[in-house]
Amino acid sequence: MQELAFRTLLYRYFFFGWLFMDASRGGLLERSTAWRFNQAHAHWLLTYMRRWLWGDRLVHQNRPLNVHSDWCRCRLQLEYCVMGCQRPRGASELVDQCTCHNI
């Protein structure tokens, strides 16, 4: 059996897309087979969530908390712009406080 390259192993360690089958293509039998296969492998999603959580903690361990909250506010602003700049009531204060208006 051929060993996988390090890049492939690293990708598979952090991203789970390779683990699942496409259940939106093919005939009825192929889709149901893919659905069952995906359900059988869904328990791995928790493992990937843990990896991302610990990776995020390692990357952001020395950053102050307000840097992350500024990022959240900027993301909120971006989502409103994508939705046609319609802000729900009460969200304008968060978007106006954002420090990175040039997204």
Side-chain angles (χ1 to χ4, degrees):
M1 184 173 172
Q2 183 180 356
E3 290 188 28
L4 297 174
F6 179 73
R7 285 178 41 187
T8 305
L9 290 175
L10 190 63
Y11 173 80
R12 288 184 176 188
Y13 185 80
F14 285 108
F15 301 103
F16 55 85
W18 67 275
L19 187 59
F20 297 99
M21 297 174 67
D22 188 4
S24 66
R25 297 180 185 225
L28 182 62
L29 182 62
E30 292 170 341
R31 287 185 311 210
S32 63
T33 303
W35 179 264
R36 284 191 304 273
F37 179 85
N38 292 345
Q39 283 183 326
H41 289 85
H43 67 279
W44 287 106
L45 291 175
L46 183 59
T47 303
Y48 282 96
M49 289 174 62
R50 286 185 192 131
R51 289 175 185 168
W52 276 96
L53 175 70
W54 285 108
D56 183 59
R57 297 304 297 157
L58 288 173
V59 169
H60 294 103
Q61 67 183 354
N62 293 327
R63 294 180 118 182
L65 185 60
N66 63 350
V67 172
H68 185 68
S69 62
D70 284 344
W71 180 85
C72 291
R73 278 185 241 135
C74 292
R75 181 168 179 204
L76 184 66
Q77 180 188 22
L78 179 63
E79 288 174 4
Y80 290 135
C81 289
V82 169
M83 294 174 8
C85 292
Q86 299 173 352
R87 299 182 200 170
R89 201 179 298 177
S92 60
E93 299 84 25
L94 288 176
V95 175
D96 292 338
Q97 294 173 5
C98 184
T99 58
C100 52
H101 293 287
N102 299 325
I103 298 177

